[in-house]
């Protein structure tokens, strides 16, 4: 829905700029239809507490010791990165530890590069459960 909104804005801007004289651009982006679209988009997004986003996965394991290893990884991450949220996710039979709440993968990469020195096998993963209110 966000891409559709951006496309509509871009088309509106380009069509408004097309009829202008060279050197001056006047953009009138307030219209009843656009306001209605923004309102509808806001309502749809506010009804969904979670959206697609990215986190950095630092641990994934199964077996007898996996839960304890996940908790140890969580504790280490909370010590190293106290400003980031750390999540333990259990999806049988795997325990996973993930950190951060990012809307785009490119936003997760700086944290990933910092984590790699402590957890070499870490990587950015797409996660639907990223909470919108968690973004920076």
């Amino acid at each position: 829905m966000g891409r559709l909104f951006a496309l509509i804005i871009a088309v509106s801007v380009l069509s408004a700029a097309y009829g202008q004289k060279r050197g001056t651009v006047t953009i009138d982006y307030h219209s009843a239809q656009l306001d209605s679209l923004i309102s509808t988009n806001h309502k749809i997004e506010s009804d969904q507490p979670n959206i697609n986003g990215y986190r950095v996965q630092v641990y994934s394991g199964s077996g007898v010791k996996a839960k304890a290893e996940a908790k140890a990884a969580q504790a280490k991450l909370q010590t190293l990165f106290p400003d980031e949220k750390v999540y333990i996710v259990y999806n049988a039979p795997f325990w996973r530890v993930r950190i951060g709440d990012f809307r785009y993968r490119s936003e997760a990469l700086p944290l990933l590069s910092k984590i790699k020195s402590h957890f070499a096998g870490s990587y950015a993963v797409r996660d639907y459960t990223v909470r919108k209110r968690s973004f920076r």
Side-chain angles (χ1 to χ4, degrees), residues 5 10 16 18 21 24 35 38 44 54 56 67 69 74 89-90 95 97 99 103 106 112 116 133 135:
F5 179 71
Y18 182 75
K21 296 178 194 175
T24 60
D35 290 342
I38 291 170
I44 290 170
Y54 288 86
V56 176
K67 183 177 181 180
E69 291 170 348
Q74 179 188 36
V89 179
Y90 179 68
W95 289 90
V97 179
I99 184 171
R103 181 66 179 109
S106 60
L112 174 61
K116 283 257 188 199
R133 292 167 196 85
F135 295 138

Side-chain angles (χ1 to χ4, degrees), residues 29-119:
Y29 56 89
H30 293 288
S31 71
Q33 290 175 326
L34 185 56
D35 290 342
S36 173
L37 180 62
I38 291 170
S39 176
T40 302
N41 186 47
H42 179 69
K43 180 170 179 4
I44 290 170
E45 287 189 355
S46 65
D47 290 344
Q48 299 174 354
N50 300 326
I51 60 174
N52 284 322
Y54 288 86
R55 292 187 172 139
V56 176
Q57 183 164 305
V58 298
Y59 174 81
S60 179
S62 63
V64 178
K65 297 180 182 180
K67 183 177 181 180
E69 291 170 348
K71 288 189 178 241
Q74 179 188 36
K76 184 175 180 178
L77 285 170
Q78 287 174 331
T79 301
L80 293 170
F81 305 98
D83 295 336
E84 298 291 340
K85 291 185 181 180
V86 181
Y87 304 90
I88 292 183
V89 179
Y90 179 68
N91 189 358
F94 295 101
W95 289 90
R96 294 182 173 101
V97 179
R98 296 178 176 172
I99 184 171
D101 291 302
F102 303 98
R103 181 66 179 109
Y104 302 102
R105 185 175 187 277
S106 60
E107 295 171 340
L109 295 180
L111 179 62
L112 174 61
S113 67
K114 293 176 190 173
I115 288 175
K116 283 257 188 199
S117 63
H118 303 283
F119 296 90

